[in-house]
Amino acid sequence: NKQKVTIEKFNSIQNGMSYRQVVNIIGSEGVLQSENYMEGVPGVMESVSTKMYMWQNSDGSNCNAMFQNDKLITKAQAMLD
């Protein structure tokens, strides 16, 4: 049973990391679950791109990570060991 993502890898993922850094830790690309783009207002607010990725193991255990402008803002896991 080849685990793509383990609790150790999950725990070493920190807010502020880029998607690429997270991929390097987990060792595989995530599957894009959702994507949202909010147009900014020049001089007031920058545009915001939000993407949620999931990594799932063959036993169904998984983690997901949400990135805003390619910086990790939140992560969650289910059944990882």
Side-chain angles (χ1 to χ4, degrees):
N1 183 18
K2 184 173 143 293
Q3 292 276 84
K4 259 193 271 195
V5 56
T6 61
I7 196 70
E8 289 81 17
K9 290 177 180 178
F10 177 80
N11 288 338
S12 62
I13 295 167
Q14 302 297 324
N15 281 358
M17 285 184 173
S18 69
Y19 171 71
R20 204 37 57 205
Q21 288 174 297
V22 172
V23 166
N24 287 339
I25 289 170
I26 295 176
S28 64
E29 298 282 333
V31 177
L32 186 62
Q33 302 290 304
S34 65
E35 190 170 3
N36 184 30
Y37 183 78
M38 205 165 66
E39 193 66 54
V41 180
V44 178
M45 189 185 101
E46 65 175 346
S47 299
V48 179
S49 167
T50 306
K51 293 181 180 182
M52 166 91 84
Y53 291 91
M54 177 190 257
W55 288 262
Q56 184 155 341
N57 296 315
S58 53
D59 64 0
S61 61
N62 65 78
C63 79
N64 57 48
M66 187 175 287
F67 298 86
Q68 204 162 65
N69 293 350
D70 199 35
K71 297 254 187 300
L72 181 68
I73 56 167
T74 183
K75 64 179 186 172
Q77 64 89 16
M79 304 180 301
L80 292 182
D81 54 19

